[in-house]
């Protein structure tokens, strides 16, 4: 990578700082583009904490949240983000059972396009589904999670949380622990954190460790205690209930014994190490309540807060061209 | 009517530098002999700059009868896989399948080894054979139950039928659509380890040796799989294997960007396995090249990768892609046509696949250097699902003859 790729975003004018039409993943983003989105998100954190939270920049634009897979938090976060920017937000919640065939997926994309959506947010249970839709529509598409592939806004909000709490992402030793095999959160975080020069360790039992993960620039561990040594950030992943009972791990209690984040275990990390979790948590399985609720160490509720700010920034940036913002049109 | 095709190199063990092929009605009369006076002659050198006369291709293991694609690809005989709707496990259905290609191509049905391809009960192999089946196959899947597979092999041996196997251990393959490795990990696709193939091959070789059955692996694609087959052949077992151009010329990187045209079964492998495949072609471990022709329209391919159907339309690109092996000096042209015609004929028990006096006049006039570009939108096949879209290739079929009759 050339040195020019690391120019501070502020020195690049207008749309050149973020030339992408869609946000389908962290893959393909340059480090300065990731930093730009984080910088843009900062302004919304304070705004969201004030009483007058609304901004009108997306007024008159239609944002469709097309969720083909069940979600509460991410959907809510995107809805609030859109509404705080003044967009008309519509939620299309296709139940997992009724829309399974991709034929319907393409048809749905064409339908959404014909309704003149200005930005579409998509979650789908199949890897690559969001990119498939992005190729078929005229407006920007935001990936809210596709299969086991990517969940870019989660990685951005995690990076923002780390940057604010630790001062920087670069040089931080981040441990990501849990079901790496099926986790889109892990993939996007690995891409974002390594791009921003963090030292990333991943930890899982071998049954949940993706092949050749080290090729993504991370250090794999199966021993959680060893992985935690000197960590700045401990990021726990949710273990899906259907994978807890013998298929990939023998039981929840055995999983907790080996990979549950307890206070005792957390002591192996740095004294001020940050604890993160994308939610929803299985308390007592991957994380103990006294860790999750730890006043000074846990950043879990802050992650949720950053989520709204990051999504506002993404919605704003991706619609700038269509809104004719100076330097972006 | 006697016709002589002159001034073209002949791909035939009997040619010995000869440049003339003489046919009478549906049979080849002579090669390289003097042409009787008054014979109609065709001067092949006027057709192109690098014209060869070669045996027409016998494509073992296609999933659809696609005459236009076969015509474009120089194929006059296909071994049709039993994975049809309905499954080829009944004499009436098999007979009907055998007639499907008339008059343009021969369809040699491959019957289901188990009823309905379910992998549980033996199919009526002897009845299928009498109805025209040339072999039996496990279909797109492996037979997971070793007891069933042992009985399939033993019974097929009794019926003197080769068993054509899909080699992927079912437990490891599961719902996988990719081979374990960096590409599958980055894309977040369900993947299975490459040893799923070797595990299946090892079991089936042991069972075949014990039962004395003839075994053909429709596709072998991994280094470990080739090594097992290589050793079995060295021990003299009647085992053969095939491969398609996809696994010879593409690695799993072709799946990047979720390109569903690169979704094939077994999945594309890593580069080191691809190199092992080339070595296996070179050293004779691989016996046949086949297209695996499986045209799939957008309703099956314009889907998220894991939801799309596997398979590629390969009939019309098989020859041009395979000629790359000759250009890259992996194999000589004679050996290429053994892989494309003579060897598949042997496995199907056909008296075909070589240019020799007395044999059926199934042959092609081929300009082996003529350049063209593979284009998914301009395929003759029923669908254009090729992972080789936009690839420039060389080798065009100029004229194609089946039993002395030209196919147009």
């Amino acid at each position: 990578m050339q040195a020019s790729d690391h120019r501070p975003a502020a020195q690049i004018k207008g749309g050149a700082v973020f030339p992408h039409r869609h946000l389908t993943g962290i893959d393909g983003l340059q480090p300065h583009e990731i930093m730009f989105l984080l910088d843009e998100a900062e302004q919304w954190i304070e705004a969201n904490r004030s009483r007058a939270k609304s901004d009108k920049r997306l007024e008159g634009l239609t944002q469709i949240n097309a969720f083909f897979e069940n979600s509460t938090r991410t959907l809510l976060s995107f809805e609030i983000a859109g509404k705080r920017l003044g967009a008309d937000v519509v939620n299309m919640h296709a139940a997992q059972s009724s829309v399974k065939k991709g034929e319907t997926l393409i048809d749905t994309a064409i339908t959404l396009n014909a309704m003149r959506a200005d930005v579409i947010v998509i979650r789908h249970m199949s890897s690559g589904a969001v990119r498939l839709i992005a190729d078929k529509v005229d407006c920007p598409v935001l990936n809210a999670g596709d299969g086991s592939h990517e969940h870019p806004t989660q990685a951005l909000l995690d990076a923002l949380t780390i940057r604010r709490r630790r001062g920087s992402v670069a040089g931080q030793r981040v441990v990501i622990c849990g079901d790496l095999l099926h986790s889109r959160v892990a993939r996007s975080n690995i891409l974002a954190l390594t791009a921003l020069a963090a030292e990333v360790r991943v930890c899982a039992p071998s049954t949940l460790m993706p092949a050749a993960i080290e090729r993504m620039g991370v250090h794999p561990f199966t021993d959680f205690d060893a992985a935690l040594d000197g960590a700045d950030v401990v990021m726990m992943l949710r273990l899906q209930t259907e994978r807890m009972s013998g298929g990939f791990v023998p039981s929840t209690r055995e999983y907790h014994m080996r990979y549950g984040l307890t206070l005792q275990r957390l002591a192996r990390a740095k004294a001020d190490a940050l604890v993160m979790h994308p939610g929803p948590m299985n308390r007592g399985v991957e994380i103990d309540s006294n860790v999750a609720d730890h006043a000074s160490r846990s950043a879990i509720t802050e992650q949720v807060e950053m989520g709204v700010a990051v999504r506002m920034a993404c919605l704003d940036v991706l619609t700038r061209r269509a809104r004719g913002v100076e330097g972006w049109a | 009517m006697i016709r002589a095709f002159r001034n073209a190199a002949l791909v035939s063990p009997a040619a010995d530098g000869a440049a003339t092929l003489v046919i009478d009605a549906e049979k080849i009369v002579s090669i390289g002999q003097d042409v009787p006076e008054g014979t109609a002659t065709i001067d092949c050198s006027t057709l192109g700059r690098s014209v060869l006369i070669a045996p027409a291709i016998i494509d073992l293991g296609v999933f659809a009868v696609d005459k236009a694609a076969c015509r474009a690809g120089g194929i006059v005989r296909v071994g049709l896989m039993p994975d049809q709707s309905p499954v080829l496990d009944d004499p009436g259905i098999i007979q009907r399948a055998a007639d499907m290609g008339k008059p343009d191509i021969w369809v040699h049905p491959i019957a289901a080894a188990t009823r309905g391809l379910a992998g549980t009960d033996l199919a009526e192999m002897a009845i299928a054979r009498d109805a025209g089946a040339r072999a039996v196959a496990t279909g797109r899947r492996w037979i997971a139950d070793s007891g069933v597979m042992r009985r399939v092999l033993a019974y097929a041996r009794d019926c003197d039928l080769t068993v054509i196997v899909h080699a992927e251990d079912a437990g490891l393959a599961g719902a996988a659509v990719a081979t374990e490795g960096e590409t599958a990990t980055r894309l977040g696709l369900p993947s299975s380890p490459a040893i799923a193939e070797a595990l299946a091959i090892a079991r089936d070789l042991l069972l075949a040796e014990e039962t004395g059955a003839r075994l053909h692996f429709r596709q072998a694609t991994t280094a470990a799989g080739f090594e097992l087959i290589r050793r079995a052949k060295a021990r003299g077992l009647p085992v053969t294997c095939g491969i398609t151009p996809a696994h010879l010329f593409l690695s799993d990187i072709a799946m990047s960007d979720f390109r569903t045209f690169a979704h094939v079964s077994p999945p594309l492998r890593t580069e080191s396995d691809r190199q092992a495949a080339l070595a296996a072609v070179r050293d004779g471990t691989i016996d046949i090249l086949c297209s695996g022709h499986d045209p799939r329209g957008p309703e099956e391919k314009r889907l998220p990768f894991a939801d799309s159907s596997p398979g590629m339309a390969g009939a019309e690109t098989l020859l041009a892609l395979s000629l790359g092996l000759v250009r890259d000096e992996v194999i000589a042209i004679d050996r290429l046509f053994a892989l494309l015609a003579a060897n598949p004929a042997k496995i199907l028990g056909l008296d075909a696949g070589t240019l020799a006096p007395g044999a059926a006049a199934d042959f092609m006039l081929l300009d082996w250097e003529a350049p063209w570009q593979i284009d998914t939108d301009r395929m003759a096949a029923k669908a254009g699902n090729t992972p080789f879209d936009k690839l420039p290739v060389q080798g065009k079929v100029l004229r194609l003859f089946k039993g002395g009759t030209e196919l147009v």
Side-chain angles (χ1 to χ4, degrees), chain A residues 15-56:
Chain A
V17 68
F18 195 83
H20 307 277
R21 218 163 83 82
H22 308 292
L23 183 67
T24 56
I26 300 295
D27 187 27
L29 296 188
Q30 299 291 336
H32 74 263
E33 295 167 349
I34 298 171
M35 292 300 265
F36 168 71
L37 291 175
L38 302 187
D39 293 345
E40 285 289 318
E42 294 277 4
Q43 62 181 303
W44 301 115
I45 299 167
E46 280 313 308
N48 285 338
R49 285 175 184 169
S50 70
R51 285 187 59 187
K53 300 183 183 68
S54 67
D55 185 281
K56 296 290 178 205

Side-chain angles (χ1 to χ4, degrees), chain A:
Chain A
M1 195 172 288
Q2 304 206 335
S4 61
D5 290 335
H6 296 287
R7 279 186 295 183
Q11 291 176 14
I12 310 173
K13 294 285 174 248
V17 68
F18 195 83
H20 307 277
R21 218 163 83 82
H22 308 292
L23 183 67
T24 56
I26 300 295
D27 187 27
L29 296 188
Q30 299 291 336
H32 74 263
E33 295 167 349
I34 298 171
M35 292 300 265
F36 168 71
L37 291 175
L38 302 187
D39 293 345
E40 285 289 318
E42 294 277 4
Q43 62 181 303
W44 301 115
I45 299 167
E46 280 313 308
N48 285 338
R49 285 175 184 169
S50 70
R51 285 187 59 187
K53 300 183 183 68
S54 67
D55 185 281
K56 296 290 178 205
R57 65 183 67 192
L58 262 58
E59 193 164 33
L61 299 193
T62 304
Q63 172 190 337
I64 300 183
N65 297 326
F67 276 54
F68 295 87
E69 186 184 69
N70 292 324
S71 160
T72 309
R73 299 160 155 257
T74 307
L75 177 62
L76 205 55
S77 184
F78 269 108
E79 183 170 0
I80 290 168
K83 283 182 170 162
R84 285 195 182 153
L85 292 171
D88 297 319
V89 183
V90 185
N91 294 331
M92 197 208 79
H93 210 136
Q96 200 166 349
S97 53
S98 66
V99 185
K100 251 201 159 154
K101 285 289 166 194
E103 189 178 32
T104 321
L105 178 65
I106 290 283
D107 286 344
T108 309
I110 293 167
T111 305
L112 296 180
N113 198 46
M115 289 176 179
R116 304 281 169 211
D118 296 293
V119 57
I120 302 177
V121 179
I122 298 164
R123 167 166 287 192
H124 197 278
M125 50 282 186
S126 289
S127 301
V130 175
R131 205 175 293 187
L132 191 67
I133 295 177
D135 291 341
K136 295 279 177 281
V137 299
D138 301 317
C139 68
V141 167
L142 261 150
N143 183 357
D146 63 326
S148 303
H149 180 224
E150 283 229 42
H151 190 356
T153 56
Q154 178 72 41
L156 292 170
L157 74 88
D158 287 338
L160 183 60
T161 306
I162 294 170
R163 192 173 80 168
R164 287 171 60 87
R165 289 285 288 260
R166 308 287 302 177
S168 166
V169 176
Q172 297 291 303
R173 178 175 288 177
V174 183
V175 179
I176 305 175
C177 178
D179 182 1
L180 295 157
L181 186 62
H182 303 95
S183 175
R184 54 194 172 213
V185 173
R187 279 171 184 73
S188 286
N189 259 307
I190 287 169
L191 291 167
L193 295 171
T194 54
L196 299 180
E199 178 202 336
V200 181
R201 294 175 164 188
V202 294
C203 181
S206 292
T207 48
L208 292 172
M209 184 74 85
I213 190 77
E214 68 283 353
R215 304 270 301 184
M216 295 184 78
V218 300
H219 309 285
F221 287 77
T222 51
D223 180 346
F224 193 22
D225 291 323
L228 283 171
D229 184 45
D232 296 284
V233 178
V234 186
M235 194 181 281
M236 302 304 293
L237 300 173
R238 175 179 168 79
L239 185 65
Q240 300 287 342
T241 31
E242 63 268 24
R243 299 188 181 117
M244 289 180 197
S245 54
F248 290 88
V249 294
S251 65
T252 51
R253 71 176 182 183
E254 177 144 333
Y255 187 81
H256 181 264
M257 187 191 94
R258 295 187 67 204
Y259 298 101
L261 188 60
T262 59
L263 274 179
Q264 188 187 15
R265 208 165 238 153
L266 185 59
R268 293 176 175 271
K270 282 191 181 158
D272 58 348
L274 205 59
V275 174
M276 299 173 73
H277 193 298
M281 290 180 277
N282 296 302
R283 290 171 180 265
V285 182
E286 70 259 9
I287 190 165
D288 276 7
S289 281
N290 53 12
V291 177
D293 302 334
H294 197 289
S296 61
R297 310 285 292 276
S298 171
I300 294 170
T301 50
E302 195 175 331
Q303 286 174 271
V304 178
E305 185 187 3
M306 294 305 122
V308 177
V310 155
R311 284 162 187 137
M312 289 172 80
C314 292
L315 290 167
D316 171 24
V317 168
L318 287 175
T319 55
R320 280 183 192 176
R321 197 169 306 160
R323 287 186 285 126
V325 173
E326 195 187 342
W328 289 73

Side-chain angles (χ1 to χ4, degrees), chain B residues 9-17 52-53 55 326 331-343 353-354:
Chain B
L10 259 63
V11 181
S12 161
D16 197 24
L52 292 177
I53 300 178
V326 177
I331 49 173
I333 190 93
D334 289 0
R335 164 113 172 104
L336 176 65
F337 279 90
L339 292 165
L340 288 170
N343 293 350
T354 50

Side-chain angles (χ1 to χ4, degrees), chain B residues 41 163 189 281 284 399:
Chain B
T41 62
V163 180
L189 291 174
V281 167
R399 300 176 70 176

Side-chain angles (χ1 to χ4, degrees), chain B residues 12-387:
Chain B
S12 161
D16 197 24
T20 304
L21 176 78
V22 182
I23 67 169
D24 183 2
E26 74 274 17
K27 296 279 185 198
I28 295 172
V29 175
S30 66
I31 282 173
Q33 303 293 325
D34 291 336
V35 180
E37 209 151 312
T39 304
T41 62
I42 293 104
D43 182 358
C44 299
S45 66
T46 63
L47 297 173
R49 282 195 298 180
S50 44
V51 180
L52 292 177
I53 300 178
I57 293 171
I58 300 171
D59 194 0
L60 175 55
V62 299
F63 290 91
V65 175
D66 191 338
K67 293 180 193 176
C70 287
R71 166 63 189 85
I75 298 164
V76 297
R77 293 172 185 266
V78 297
L80 180 66
M81 290 297 285
D83 312 65
Q84 308 295 317
S85 180
V87 170
L88 305 188
D89 66 352
D90 174 89
I93 298 164
I94 291 166
Q95 271 168 358
R96 202 190 59 173
D99 290 340
M100 276 170 72
K102 285 180 179 173
D104 303 316
I105 51 174
W106 289 102
V107 174
H108 302 293
I110 299 165
T114 57
R115 201 172 301 157
L117 289 172
T120 48
D121 301 312
L122 292 179
E124 297 167 322
M125 296 186 201
I127 290 175
R129 181 195 59 202
D130 291 349
R134 286 287 176 171
V136 293
T138 65
R140 293 182 190 275
R141 286 177 299 170
W142 190 64
I143 292 176
D145 187 320
S146 302
V148 172
M149 188 58 184
R150 184 163 175 261
R151 290 190 288 275
V152 163
L153 288 164
Y155 197 80
R157 194 251 349 252
D158 291 351
C159 300
D160 195 27
L161 287 166
T162 298
V163 180
I164 299 175
V165 175
H166 178 87
E168 253 187 313
D169 179 86
L172 284 178
V177 295
T179 305
E180 245 181 43
E182 185 183 356
T183 302
T185 290
R186 283 183 181 275
L187 296 177
L189 291 174
S191 60
S192 66
I195 58 158
E197 177 178 287
L199 207 58
I201 288 175
R203 184 203 73 175
D204 290 346
L205 283 173
L206 286 169
L207 291 174
E209 181 165 17
E210 193 220 16
T211 56
R214 286 195 309 271
L215 194 59
H216 174 70
F217 295 102
R218 191 169 66 85
Q219 302 178 83
T221 59
T222 62
F226 295 129
E227 190 48 38
L228 288 167
I229 293 168
R230 199 173 279 130
R231 275 189 267 155
K233 287 184 162 191
R235 290 215 318 283
L237 295 189
V239 55
T240 51
C241 70
I243 195 165
T244 73
H247 288 95
L248 279 174
F249 298 114
L250 299 174
S251 68
D252 58 357
I253 292 169
M255 301 187 304
S256 299
D257 278 346
F258 299 99
R259 285 177 46 191
T260 58
F261 284 0
H263 181 191
V264 292
S265 171
L268 292 175
R269 307 301 191 182
T270 58
E271 178 62 15
S272 61
D273 279 328
R274 188 183 83 84
Q275 294 296 334
L278 289 171
V281 167
R282 195 180 282 119
D283 74 7
T285 302
I286 289 175
D287 303 276
I288 75 162
L289 289 171
C290 54
S291 73
H293 192 62
D294 199 0
R296 301 276 192 172
E299 63 282 1
E300 291 177 283
K301 283 292 190 183
R302 209 171 60 181
L303 297 171
F305 195 95
D307 303 335
S308 68
S309 301
M312 64 173 278
E316 65 200 279
T317 55
L318 172 63
L319 177 61
L321 290 165
S322 302
L323 281 166
L325 295 170
V326 177
R327 252 183 285 285
D328 295 345
E329 298 180 342
V330 177
I331 49 173
I333 190 93
D334 289 0
R335 164 113 172 104
L336 176 65
F337 279 90
L339 292 165
L340 288 170
N343 293 350
K346 277 182 213 156
I347 290 165
L348 290 172
L350 301 169
D351 182 18
T354 50
L355 300 181
D362 296 344
F363 65 98
M364 68 173 92
L365 303 183
L366 158 74
D367 185 342
W368 83 287
E369 288 184 338
W372 59 288
Q373 189 178 34
I374 297 173
D375 186 338
T376 182
D377 296 324
R378 297 172 58 192
M379 301 269 281
K382 289 173 177 170
N385 51 313
T386 173

Side-chain angles (χ1 to χ4, degrees), chain B residues 386-405:
Chain B
T386 173
F388 295 103
D389 189 28
K390 302 293 180 283
L391 186 76
V393 290
Q394 282 175 274
K396 262 187 186 166
V397 178
L398 303 170
R399 300 176 70 176
L400 181 64
F401 294 83
K402 168 176 172 273
T405 303

